[in-house]
Amino acid sequence: MAQLELFSHPGPGVRYRAGLCSTAALGLLLLWALTYLPPLLVAYRSQGLWLKQSTYMEQPTVQFQYEVLLVAMTGADPGSFLAWSTFPAFNRLQEDQLRVPLISTREEDKNHDGKMDQLHFKLELPLQSTEQVLAVQLILTFSYQLHRMSTFVMQSMAFIQSSSPIPGSQLYVNGDLKLHQRQSLSHCGVDIRYNVSVINGTSPFASDYDLTNIIAAYQDRNVTTVLSDSNPVWLVGRAADAPFVINATIRYPVEVILYPLAVV
Amino acid sequence: MLWARSGCCSRSCYCCSRGGGLRPLARPRGGAPGPPARPRGAAPGPPARPRGSAPAPPARPRGAAPGPPARPRGSAPAPPARPRGSAPAPPARPRGAAPGPPARPRGSAPGPPARPRGAAPGPPARPRGSAPGLPARPRGSAPGPPARPRGAALGPPARPRGSATGALSPKPAFPSHHLDDRVGVTSPLDLVCLSLFLACLPTCICNLHSGSCDINCCCDTDCNLGCDLEDSRAAFSFCLPGTKLNYFQQPQKVKKSDFSVFLAQYGGPSFIPPSQDLPSSSAFYRAGDPIQTYFAASSVRSTLRQPVGMSANGFCIDGNPAGFLESKSTSCTRTFTNLSSSCTTDPTLDAASYYRDFTILKVITPVTQPGAPQMDGNTCHNVVSEVIYEIEFNGTHGIQNVSVQLKVTSVSGNSLQQRFTLQFWVSQSRTPSYTLPRSGNPGYIIGAPLLSLNSGVTILQSQGDGICSQTLRYKVQFGMNLRTSCQLSYFQEKLYQALQGVSSPQALAIIGSAEPTQTDQWTSIIIRNCSMQAGNCASCCMVPVSLKIQVLWAEVGLQSNPQSQVLGARYWYQCQSLKSLNMSMVPLTTVVSFTDMTEWPKPPRSQPGTYWKLPFDFFFPFKVASNGGIKLTPSCCILMSHLVPVPHLGETI
């Protein structure tokens, strides 16, 4: 009959054996079960047995795409606005409302790690002395890349909007370009789902430059970037011959990125 | 120590305990009147004393009385008054106090082992605020000369903090011999506490209406109709917080001399502004000092003003003083409700008000003297648009000479932008022949003007109506990418001139401090114009429609002190056939792009290269340890080395 060794002293000790169908064997089985099962059950009940998602931090490689779309309201009338973009088709559609601003930009790599850290953007919209700006909408586009886990490439945008009943002289914006994840990114591979232009600059149709359509299509994405600036400063008191100025500093911060854990 | 309250009676009897401090024959709080009751903090000594109550006669001021039996906190059974604190009777266990030497009552004892705060020199342990042989001690007080401030050791007779030798209790409560025994009875603090007698005593704080029963105030004696009766308290749903037998430290005595000391010790921010030292009138100007002016006619001293636009609206703040040696330029907006009256009366538009009638150590000499503003139709002429003060100084000898340049303009709208500049020079250091300002030394500063041989690099600027401005041109700044566009009626030569400026730049300064005479500090601009792009259409009239100014630059020199220098520049005209332009106006576009060619040095060899096929954070624990960052405990290290690389295996496998 098969025997089970229950216990043995090290060295020339005594060995305790019992049959497989003995009470001692049953006790051994019970002890084994009590050793492993309760911890397993406790761990499982605490909802933390299988780690399914995790996060990592990475500073994205962001590059300003030098694509700008500007709409400035100059009055309450529907027709009183000025618009301009870097897309020739859009500019052709504007006719009399086209007003070309002076744009001055600089991207800065503060810590010289090869990744840009912030964008200085200044836009001077020349105005006639009778014109005044009550609201502005501005779209800047960026190329946004992550490399650490999966290679994620997308074209994203920052949308700046501000308005005031008082005619403005300057809009000052200083904020972070934050990644907004509706879905976790893959842990490996290449993800170019959203590597498409935010604004279809080759299209001759006005609907492709409509802000609602642009934003609706953009928000359909599961991964976007959002300019987080809760405190845009609207400055008033423009001199007659001075331009309307949009002064923006957009930072590219380190992001916490959600990804699913893979079973190797 | 908290003893179990044995024999806790029903709510109807609660009345007898709480707030009963002042009443004779009060029962222990929550305790039965019988002997086995253990008041909180009391020792099991024979006749237990209820907390805050005394079975024995009249009032118990706090302090302690020397009665022998057990003492509940703040109370004593003995007939004489017990000021708060306690007496050293052997079996007594007042709160925190023990009768024996090793006890550490709060309050102090002089003996080596026990050092309660507040001190008393008596040999045995003292309950808080008590003194040895003396019967009544006010809390925190010590009778003898060697009184200690709290927590202090025995020493010279320092003034104990919060100590007063007087009694906290009402005088009548003390038997006369107790008063005689005490030393140094009279202290103003006694009076303070006497006047706050009730506040110093355990009182019923929710008893807000004297003579009538306060709702839910279980310690209100007015609600008590008798211990055994079902009084109005039976209807209470809960008890408001009543008496709490714990006492604050005695505040220190404030004297005139101490006032500011205490204020500094305990004070924090408040609406009282911090005292500011008035600017001492120095013998000479220091950098940043306001520049003094003197109006001889009215004998008024003032400061030189440099109006500045405040955020929010950008309107001129005229009171802003100009700082010595602070060369800067400000601009701000002025608006007029009525231009015709403002034109002649507003001094800020009149050039004379910026130099006439006052002196800055020496007379201001205007370079040109514009006339007074005049109204002509709807336009106000000779209105100041820019003021430039140039101030020569010579170390501590101060300002040597001031000159002012005034620019005037004509205004027809209702607002005007003015610009104010102060420029400081060291005397005799100016070389009038060469005044090209540097854009960095030696390397370019980001944002400084890009230098070219005969003038700065400028590009077209648009007016408010979209037409190219004839006079204003935008200065290209180093490192700033630009894009602008405007419209112009076309003539081929004129278009070139419009795009490149009146005098076309031939060479760019390589470094920000380039001298025109040093030819090696200048790089010639590569120009690519339309004739090179004619292609197969030789007969077409090609006109330039856009200009791309492309500058290649890099950082050179020490990595710790990099210097930016221009490596090359190109003017690239893009042309279109005149036939393809079916407009009378040609839109001209200028784009400036700066391209960084900096080659960063390789990291030193001691750092591992990036060729390792390891998870990117494989060395993380070692890096952290060597950087002296987070101190990892060994178990943490093991945990990390096991857990961290696991998710990344997929990346490497």
Side-chain angles (χ1 to χ4, degrees):
Chain A
M1 186 176 176
Q3 292 238 315
L4 187 68
E5 186 172 312
L6 297 175
F7 184 72
S8 63
H9 284 292
V14 189
R15 293 182 164 189
Y16 297 88
R17 296 184 180 205
L20 279 179
C21 296
S22 65
T23 321
L26 185 68
L28 201 67
L29 187 71
L30 274 177
L31 278 177
W32 180 88
L34 283 174
T35 308
Y36 294 102
L37 283 182
L40 194 72
L41 289 176
V42 167
Y44 187 74
R45 287 291 296 168
S46 62
Q47 316 292 327
L49 187 61
W50 305 115
L51 195 60
K52 300 179 190 69
Q53 287 188 322
S54 186
T55 55
Y56 67 98
M57 294 181 73
E58 180 183 354
Q59 187 182 12
T61 308
V62 184
Q63 211 173 13
F64 180 48
Q65 292 289 85
Y66 293 91
E67 289 177 350
V68 181
L69 194 150
L70 169 77
V71 179
M73 316 298 164
T74 55
D77 304 334
S80 55
F81 69 92
L82 297 171
W84 174 82
S85 78
T86 49
F87 308 107
F90 175 83
N91 293 347
R92 274 194 295 275
L93 292 167
Q94 298 310 317
E95 298 176 351
D96 287 344
Q97 268 75 38
L98 184 71
R99 181 70 50 83
V100 185
L102 170 76
I103 295 179
S104 164
T105 65
R106 187 166 76 87
E107 278 191 297
E108 191 178 5
D109 180 10
K110 288 169 109 174
N111 50 6
H112 303 299
D113 62 349
K115 291 179 179 178
M116 292 299 168
D117 294 312
Q118 61 185 38
L119 165 74
H120 302 274
F121 179 88
K122 190 177 180 189
L123 184 148
E124 294 181 18
L125 183 68
L127 293 176
Q128 300 182 42
S129 56
T130 55
E131 289 173 326
Q132 54 195 18
V133 173
L134 296 173
V136 286
Q137 292 162 328
L138 177 71
I139 289 179
L140 308 176
T141 65
F142 297 89
S143 151
Y144 197 98
Q145 296 183 19
L146 297 168
H147 294 289
R148 183 164 273 185
M149 300 291 277
S150 65
T151 301
F152 177 78
V153 182
M154 75 166 169
Q155 310 275 318
S156 72
M157 75 171 186
F159 181 59
I160 297 171
Q161 173 166 267
S162 192
S163 67
S164 167
I166 309 165
S169 70
Q170 191 182 351
L171 173 67
Y172 177 76
V173 177
N174 194 330
D176 288 347
L177 190 72
K178 301 288 290 179
L179 184 72
H180 178 71
Q181 265 183 288
R182 210 175 285 151
Q183 172 188 71
S184 54
L185 295 181
S186 169
H187 72 286
C188 64
V190 179
D191 188 349
I192 53 167
R193 276 175 298 164
Y194 303 124
N195 194 13
V196 289
S197 298
V198 177
I199 305 167
N200 182 7
T202 56
S203 163
F205 305 109
S207 63
D208 285 324
Y209 303 100
D210 189 19
L211 284 185
T212 52
N213 292 343
I214 292 171
I215 288 176
Y218 186 67
Q219 292 297 329
D220 269 346
R221 301 180 177 191
N222 286 329
V223 186
T224 54
T225 57
V226 181
L227 179 66
S228 70
D229 175 27
S230 50
N231 308 306
V233 186
W234 183 268
L235 303 172
V236 301
R238 189 178 68 86
D241 50 350
F244 179 82
V245 179
I246 298 174
N247 214 333
T249 302
I250 296 172
R251 299 160 197 278
Y252 312 144
V254 176
E255 293 287 351
V256 178
I257 294 141
L258 191 68
Y259 72 103
L261 285 180
V263 180
V264 180
Chain B
M1 45 187 169
L2 184 67
W3 290 82
R5 296 183 196 162
S6 59
C8 188
C9 68
S10 68
R11 203 200 291 178
S12 64
C13 209
Y14 203 74
C15 58
C16 308
S17 58
R18 277 215 183 175
L22 287 179
R23 286 181 295 124
L25 294 173
R27 299 274 170 55
R29 168 187 177 185
R38 282 276 152 61
R40 180 168 101 168
R49 289 293 162 281
R51 165 180 167 202
S53 77
R60 292 152 298 101
R62 73 185 154 153
R71 231 154 295 310
R73 176 170 77 159
S75 77
R82 283 154 298 102
R84 169 171 165 241
S86 75
R93 271 277 157 95
R95 175 176 78 151
R104 276 264 160 107
R106 177 173 160 215
S108 80
R115 185 152 295 159
R117 74 181 162 173
R126 296 285 161 291
R128 123 175 127 158
S130 79
L134 304 178
R137 286 290 164 273
R139 160 179 163 232
S141 79
R148 287 281 147 273
R150 77 171 159 172
L154 273 184
R159 186 168 62 82
R161 172 176 170 195
S163 85
T165 48
L168 298 175
S169 54
K171 294 273 157 81
F174 286 94
S176 61
H177 69 277
H178 290 159
L179 289 173
D180 294 341
D181 286 347
R182 291 184 301 146
V183 183
V185 192
T186 56
S187 162
L189 208 85
D190 294 350
L191 299 176
V192 169
C193 212
L194 278 176
S195 65
L196 297 172
F197 160 59
L198 284 177
C200 299
L201 279 176
T203 54
C204 183
I205 57 169
C206 56
N207 181 8
L208 300 177
H209 299 90
S210 75
S212 68
C213 177
D214 285 86
I215 305 302
N216 288 336
C217 185
C218 299
C219 57
D220 189 351
T221 56
D222 299 320
C223 303
N224 186 16
L225 300 176
C227 235
D228 303 327
L229 294 175
E230 280 292 319
D231 58 15
S232 51
R233 244 167 301 195
F236 292 174
S237 56
F238 63 96
C239 283
L240 286 170
T243 308
K244 286 204 173 76
L245 285 178
N246 200 355
Y247 295 92
F248 289 107
Q249 294 290 314
Q250 279 295 342
Q252 300 179 55
K253 197 180 129 197
V254 176
K255 285 187 296 189
K256 189 180 171 187
S257 57
D258 296 339
F259 197 92
S260 54
V261 177
F262 288 138
L263 209 59
Q265 186 181 350
Y266 295 99
S270 74
F271 283 116
I272 303 169
S275 61
Q276 285 182 338
D277 295 331
L278 288 172
S280 56
S281 54
S282 167
F284 53 89
Y285 284 120
R286 289 191 170 89
D289 285 349
I291 296 170
Q292 309 282 327
T293 57
Y294 182 70
F295 289 84
S298 52
S299 305
V300 171
R301 247 172 78 153
S302 182
T303 53
L304 184 66
R305 305 295 166 83
Q306 185 175 17
V308 67
M310 287 280 274
S311 60
N313 56 15
F315 292 144
C316 292
I317 307 291
D318 287 314
N320 182 47
F324 184 65
L325 293 193
E326 290 182 355
S327 296
K328 64 178 176 184
S329 184
T330 60
S331 67
C332 57
T333 310
R334 292 194 193 280
T335 55
F336 321 107
T337 50
N338 185 357
L339 182 62
S340 56
S341 69
S342 298
C343 181
T344 48
T345 57
D346 195 341
T348 59
L349 303 182
D350 189 354
S353 66
Y354 293 100
Y355 63 89
R356 198 177 290 162
D357 293 338
F358 69 93
T359 51
I360 307 174
L361 198 83
K362 295 229 171 145
V363 180
I364 304 180
T365 55
V367 178
T368 56
Q369 294 199 7
Q374 288 173 348
M375 200 67 194
D376 179 19
N378 282 332
T379 308
C380 184
H381 298 285
N382 276 348
V383 170
V384 173
S385 66
E386 185 163 4
V387 182
I388 302 170
Y389 289 107
E390 298 204 345
I391 300 175
E392 280 182 40
F393 73 99
N394 184 7
T396 57
H397 294 103
I399 295 171
Q400 299 297 307
N401 196 9
V402 180
S403 64
V404 59
Q405 285 184 49
L406 296 155
K407 288 184 186 170
V408 292
T409 184
S410 300
V411 181
S412 56
N414 60 351
S415 63
L416 164 74
Q417 183 132 20
Q418 285 183 321
R419 191 167 194 85
F420 304 91
T421 305
L422 260 85
Q423 197 74 46
F424 288 87
W425 306 97
V426 179
S427 284
Q428 280 96 40
S429 74
R430 276 174 76 188
T431 49
S433 59
Y434 174 62
T435 54
L436 186 64
R438 284 177 175 166
S439 291
N441 192 7
Y444 273 105
I445 297 168
I446 303 280
L450 189 63
L451 301 179
S452 71
L453 198 51
N454 40 13
S455 65
V457 181
T458 58
I459 60 170
L460 277 173
Q461 198 167 2
S462 171
Q463 285 175 347
D465 51 3
I467 307 294
C468 296
S469 171
Q470 300 287 330
T471 53
L472 284 175
R473 290 180 69 83
Y474 189 88
K475 269 191 183 174
V476 175
Q477 294 164 330
F478 184 80
M480 298 290 185
N481 296 323
L482 291 169
R483 189 200 187 282
T484 185
S485 180
C486 59
Q487 294 196 325
L488 202 70
S489 58
Y490 57 85
F491 293 101
Q492 192 179 15
E493 300 77 24
K494 209 178 161 188
L495 290 179
Y496 275 115
Q497 199 185 52
L499 285 169
Q500 69 194 11
V502 178
S503 57
S504 68
Q506 299 300 318
L508 282 188
I510 292 174
I511 51 176
S513 60
E515 301 277 344
T517 51
Q518 303 275 326
T519 53
D520 57 340
Q521 292 178 348
W522 300 84
T523 175
S524 57
I525 299 170
I526 302 159
I527 296 177
R528 185 185 154 105
N529 55 24
C530 294
S531 57
M532 304 168 188
Q533 305 170 19
N536 51 7
C537 180
S539 60
C540 301
C541 178
M542 300 291 280
V543 291
V545 290
S546 76
L547 166 64
K548 291 178 182 166
I549 303 175
Q550 294 161 313
V551 180
L552 299 177
W553 67 281
E555 289 189 310
V556 296
L558 280 174
Q559 198 181 354
S560 59
N561 182 24
Q563 302 293 326
S564 307
Q565 74 173 39
V566 169
L567 302 175
R570 178 168 77 167
Y571 272 50
W572 190 4
Y573 295 96
Q574 293 211 317
C575 305
Q576 263 184 323
S577 167
L578 202 54
K579 289 171 186 166
S580 65
L581 292 165
N582 48 5
M583 293 173 278
S584 59
M585 303 289 275
V586 181
L588 297 180
T589 305
T590 314
V591 179
V592 181
S593 69
F594 284 84
T595 307
D596 186 1
M597 291 175 56
T598 304
E599 293 275 343
W600 290 93
K602 285 182 180 169
R605 287 204 175 175
S606 60
Q607 292 181 9
T610 53
Y611 310 107
W612 296 63
K613 277 290 181 189
L614 284 173
F616 64 90
D617 52 359
F618 192 79
F619 293 105
F620 173 71
F622 308 101
K623 276 186 190 169
V624 171
S626 63
N627 288 344
I630 313 157
K631 281 279 180 190
L632 292 174
T633 60
S635 63
C636 191
C637 275
I638 291 165
L639 196 73
M640 299 193 75
S641 60
H642 277 85
L643 289 183
V644 172
V646 169
H648 312 305
L649 290 177
E651 187 182 54
T652 51
I653 290 176

